[in-house]
Amino acid sequence: MKLILNLFILLLIGFNSSSQNKETSHLTDLNGDYNIQDILIETRDGAKISAIIVRKKETIEPKAVILQSTIYVRDKGRDLNTLKESADKGYVGVIAYTRGKRFSPNEIWPYENDANDIFDVIDWISKQKWCDGRVGMFGGSYNGFTQWAAAKKLHPALKTIVPYVANRPGMGLPMENNIFINPNYEWAFYVGNNKYLDTIAGNDRQRFRNMMFKWWETGVAYNKMDSIDGTPNKWFQRWLSHPSFDDYWQKMAPYKEDFSQIDIPVLSIDGYYNDSQNSGLYYLREHYKYNPNAEHYLIIGPYSHFGAQRNGSEEINGYKVDADALINTNEITYQWFDYIFNNAEKPKIIKDKINYQVMGANEWRSAPSIEAMSNDHLKLYLTTEKFEGIYSLKGEKPVKTDFLTQEVDFADREISNNDYYPDPIIREEMDLRNGFNFISEPLEESIVVNGSFMGELRVSINKKDFDYGVTLYEVMPDGKLFHLSYIIGRASYANDITNRKLLVPNKIETIPFSNTHLVSKKLSKGSRLLVYINVNKNPFSELNYGTGKEVSKETINDANEPLEVKWYNDSFVEIPIWIDKNK
């Protein structure tokens, strides 16, 4: 858990690091091979969007345009190189920077204006003599979000998008399942402090770690974090004022019926160990829910947030991936554009709608949907019976109602709970200090865990709310733990992320969960499954004291009475699996 902040910060800024650039001069091509324009595009509401356009000089006829929309104003060489690559491959390359960035005179508010602004940018592009009326988009993280923002109100010229590890504001960051997590605090300064990137703030990890741990140790309200830092954070404060997935978040990207009109081909690329995977797969699931005939493909494997945007990595969080898991994301992207715009073949890796690498099997498989990845499931109950000193995970529902009791003292800052983060992916031993572990009997045959596990927690607490964590492991025959998937969530939002419903103290409540990370992993005969449950209590996210007040306003003064959780033995997990029934 101690690594989570640095890992998340790297997720947000490491892939886009750049020195602070104060230049305002326009770009030139020293070699003379490209026609480079550096312009401002005016939006319908009078804002200005800074953009760069690159074309090959010998190109005369109009071309399809490859657009990137980003908040990251990187060094000129890096951004220009990506645009030149588009031009070299027979397209026109365009980068449009988020409102307020680079030469835009407007104020910077991440996420808030991208949907409308990108529509206007595409509209302007489509009317230029060098554009043949067709636009495609690609990019990762924030740049993945902007593609979906563009699809919220689809411009006729936008023909395809290729989002990698796409962010969904309000769902992955700055909050996860309605729990605010810390990484976007620093990120707001990094992208918001100036027209380029504030790498002084972005690289000052110690400043923000000190702030975070001082908040943890003193027990002041979460919304006073910037008071501890000594610098007002207007972005952080605005986000905190929207703890529900309300209209503020909904209008940033497609929501519900918005997906029904997205009829362009989409290629999504994601990773099992991408921190914001629940954002990227939200778009996929909702797209198919509201448009069952959507042409939406997914490529997913054992990649981190950065690995999915590059070529994967031979090792991730200590796990050496299978050799065939490594892909070339950039190459696949342009193969896709050639398929869409030039009638070329689809990328060979795409065999069906869902294309996934099976960890431990060194192979790729495909399925027509996420649901079709599995042909069976394991429903396992969290019992109060013990197996070799650990509570049992059993397929039969217990006949007699029973429970395990956990007490969490939020005033005690010596103990942190919920070590859910998958680093390292392979652990030597389970955590028996906090929470509860439940282990299955050894598998009688090899299976593939394929998809996102779900379940229900049956609990009663002495307060009005709590934040829970559920982690799924494979216990390999040698006793080591392989991290498969996890979820953290807020109980009061379990049934509706748009509307908080507090728990009734000392009443047995049902907390359903399903927004876990999708994974595909071959488990060998003799392996066991282990489920770890706990209460989320650590310095890396909001601390829910359970009073029912707005969580960001609670303080250590609200920790007078420890939280008591009764975990009932009719709680269960449901794990999607694939069994080779031909054996």
Side-chain angles (χ1 to χ4, degrees), residues 406 415-417 419 430-437 532 534:
Q406 180 179 4
I415 298 176
S416 275
N417 288 350
D419 191 15
M430 64 189 73
D431 183 357
L432 297 174
R433 299 167 299 169
N434 303 302
F436 295 104
N437 291 277
Y532 173 60
N534 212 333

Side-chain angles (χ1 to χ4, degrees), residues 397-420:
K397 184 176 181 179
V399 176
K400 181 182 177 182
T401 299
D402 200 359
F403 57 83
L404 299 172
T405 302
Q406 180 179 4
E407 186 175 281
V408 180
D409 183 0
F410 290 115
D412 179 1
R413 298 309 162 95
E414 296 299 317
I415 298 176
S416 275
N417 288 350
N418 202 0
D419 191 15
Y420 64 86

Side-chain angles (χ1 to χ4, degrees), residues 228-245:
I228 296 173
D229 180 43
T231 305
N233 189 330
K234 62 181 182 180
W235 306 281
F236 175 71
Q237 293 298 336
R238 180 172 292 189
W239 297 331
L240 286 181
S241 67
H242 297 277
S244 300
F245 192 73

Side-chain angles (χ1 to χ4, degrees), residues 48 52 92 111 226 287 308 317 373 401 434 458 486 535:
K48 299 289 198 313
I52 305 171
V92 175
Y111 311 127
D226 51 359
H287 195 187
N317 297 353
M373 289 174 64
T401 299
N434 303 302
R458 295 272 291 162
Y486 73 92
V535 173

